[in-house]
Amino acid sequence: MKPTQSTLNPTLKMKSTKGSIRKDLVAYLIISPWLIGFLGLVIGPMIASLYFSFTNYDMLSPASWVGLENYKNVLVNDPRFVQSLKVTLIFVFVSTPLKLVFALLLAMLFNTGRKGTGLFTTIYYIPSIIGGSVAIAVVWRQLFGREGAINSLFASVGLDGLNWLGDPTYALTILIILVVWQFGSPLIIFLAGLRQIPLELYEAASVDGASSLTRFFRITLPMLTPVIFFNLIMQTIGAFMTFTQAFLITKGGPMDATNFYAVYLYETAFEYLRMGYASAMAWILLVIIGVITLILFATSKYWVHYEGGNK
């Protein structure tokens, strides 16, 4: 006896439901390591820090509720907070554009298709992998130390060396140079973006007699604006969180000239054991980064060009 339509449909529906549940379980199983890490190492600490930001907590005794007192003290009564924010903003607004410009120039050079391009791309990408490491920071400190290689070069030509890391005038510049040097990551992204630009556009512009400079400003730059925007967002956020270089090379000195926000936050939390105060600082930093990111997104409609129009 053949199954009727009324008995066949529930059977198929049940099989389909079981198959769908099995697929969902497999998907959740695959992403479970990331999900557990995200909840346990990101969301959990964020919720805890939000609570601690309203408390007086030193990690040695129970937290006591103080309301908005920490936020008030950070914003109104802490000159070192103002100094660290000032240093960080200078660092962000100087290092990020420089890094993107160098990355774009190198990407255009590597996009010419000359022999050995892949090797040089890898070589330039390496500093981005190891640039935030302790080893590179120590090497940088030795290079620009009082008796370092840079001053030795100066001495070899009869010039007096400078106290690069001990003078507030130069210390921040040295750290900016170190970070700008690590442009491998945006370079790779720029290179991928350049290779997506249709060659027909350049060929048509050449037929019309457009110069190299005109082709760059009329074709390359507009076509790359989505990539530039992405790199700008990522590098800006990364610059706000810079910690390793300043902590290992200058310890925030001299005279707080390189006391980045992240360094001051770490110092407050783990050296002075003012975890509640540091938590408030962390949330203020999150708000600052969020506001700047929103501003960048709001302005993007005026200068970022997407295929098919701005969205």
Side-chain angles (χ1 to χ4, degrees), residues 30 49 117 121 127 136 159 186 209 212 219 235 242 249 280:
I30 291 172
S49 73
T117 298
T121 304
I136 289 297
L159 297 174
S212 300
I219 299 174
Q235 295 303 320
T242 300
I249 297 175

Side-chain angles (χ1 to χ4, degrees), residues 133-145:
S133 70
V134 173
I136 289 297
V138 172
V139 168
W140 209 255
R141 187 173 61 191
Q142 295 300 322
L143 280 174
F144 288 94

Side-chain angles (χ1 to χ4, degrees), residues 26-94:
V26 170
Y28 281 118
L29 187 64
I30 291 172
I31 67 168
S32 59
W34 176 86
L35 201 59
I36 293 170
F38 180 69
L39 294 174
L41 302 177
V42 178
I43 298 299
M46 283 185 71
I47 295 173
S49 73
L50 181 61
Y51 167 71
F52 287 133
S53 70
F54 296 105
T55 67
N56 183 16
Y57 180 50
D58 60 3
M59 295 193 291
L60 300 175
S61 54
S64 58
W65 186 265
V66 295
L68 294 173
E69 192 68 21
N70 286 329
Y71 290 93
K72 178 185 172 186
N73 287 332
V74 170
L75 296 172
V76 179
N77 301 322
D78 190 349
R80 293 196 72 197
F81 160 77
V82 177
Q83 172 64 16
S84 66
L85 183 59
K86 176 185 170 186
V87 169
T88 304
L89 288 174
I90 293 173
F91 177 80
V92 170
F93 290 125
V94 174

